[in-house]
Amino acid sequence: MIITTQNKTTVKEPKITLVGAGPGDADLITIKGMKALQTADVVLYDALANEELLSFAPETAHKVYVGKRSGDHSYSQDAVNKLMIDYAINYGHVVRLKGGDPFVFGRGYEELDFAASYSIPTVVIPGISSSIGVPGLQQIPVTHRGLSESFWVVTATTASQEISNDLYDAARSKATVVVLMGLHKLAEIAEIFKAQDKHRLPVALIQSGSTKNEKVVIGVVDTIVELAQENKVKAPAMMVFGDVVSLHPKFSPIREFYELVAQE
């Protein structure tokens, strides 16, 4: 961007900042991310980034929606990359606002690498990943002494829409398994855990975590598909498989039911 004043002409240097917007609640963005928005000339934002955050950007900044959620690909990744560069060259500071954390299934490194190919300085500001933050808001720790010593964060499907092979390995482990972007594959994923004889493993489904549309469904592997249908759970939603889900208050009656069954 070239700004002409009475005495001189100022050329804005291109700059890109990848900002993690957090899991949905606008208050969960970092202070550093908020400061980056306050200096933006252009904001390219995803569907999963709360639009309330756009109010931090100057009124003169261009705000451009670029989609990028399951079932909503308003722009291809290639198109987003090119827009990011074009806006940086022509306007100056581009803030690429991405839901969650840019590097957790956010394709942030692809954008970082593309910017580097044009020698445009790029800064990364991490965000709270939904994979940890959303269960945490429900008082479900992804690790807990005596229940889980580690956790997996897995995408449900590969680029070819096939079930990720990592899910089979994760299901064999004793770790907490957080599955993102896979609600449409819930039945298949449940079968993977059943194949490991984990029929009663606690499961949480969390729709639109940290937002006003949040919905939480708690069950076990055997019942989770039916519960998802009964409660009309919709994307975006994550799945949490693991004994740590038993710490959620809603699991108490489920535990009591199975204890009664065991006594019969």
Side-chain angles (χ1 to χ4, degrees), residues 131-243:
S131 61
I132 300 172
V134 167
L137 288 168
Q138 286 298 319
Q139 301 180 35
I140 300 173
V142 291
T143 61
H144 184 69
R145 183 174 294 184
L147 291 181
S148 176
E149 297 175 356
S150 61
F151 65 95
W152 292 64
V153 181
V154 188
T155 181
T157 57
T158 63
S160 61
Q161 297 304 303
E162 299 295 324
I163 288 284
S164 171
N165 285 329
D166 284 350
L167 265 171
Y168 294 91
D169 293 331
R172 283 191 287 268
S173 76
K174 295 180 179 180
T176 303
V177 182
V178 180
V179 185
L180 304 179
M181 301 173 289
L183 187 64
H184 63 296
K185 295 283 189 179
L186 177 58
E188 293 176 58
I189 294 168
E191 290 301 321
I192 292 172
F193 281 88
K194 289 178 185 179
Q196 298 302 318
D197 199 26
K198 294 184 176 181
H199 297 262
R200 294 186 181 178
L201 184 70
V203 186
L205 300 181
I206 309 174
Q207 171 189 308
S208 302
S210 83
T211 74
K212 63 181 180 181
N213 297 319
E214 184 176 75
K215 182 182 290 186
V216 182
V217 175
I218 304 292
V220 296
V221 168
D222 267 349
T223 63
I224 199 62
V225 174
E226 182 180 350
L227 288 171
Q229 294 169 347
E230 288 177 359
N231 289 276
K232 299 180 180 179
V233 179
K234 298 178 181 178
M238 69 165 56
M239 315 166 204
V240 185
F241 293 83
D243 290 325

Side-chain angles (χ1 to χ4, degrees), residues 6 21 27 36 44 94 127 129 153 181:
Q6 188 174 2
D27 289 344
L44 300 180
V94 173
S129 172
V153 181
M181 301 173 289

Side-chain angles (χ1 to χ4, degrees), residues 50-69:
N50 193 323
E51 291 191 18
E52 290 179 27
L53 294 173
L54 300 179
S55 65
F56 290 124
E59 290 186 8
T60 55
H62 298 269
K63 289 92 173 179
V64 183
Y65 172 75
V66 291
K68 306 301 291 176
R69 85 170 354 157

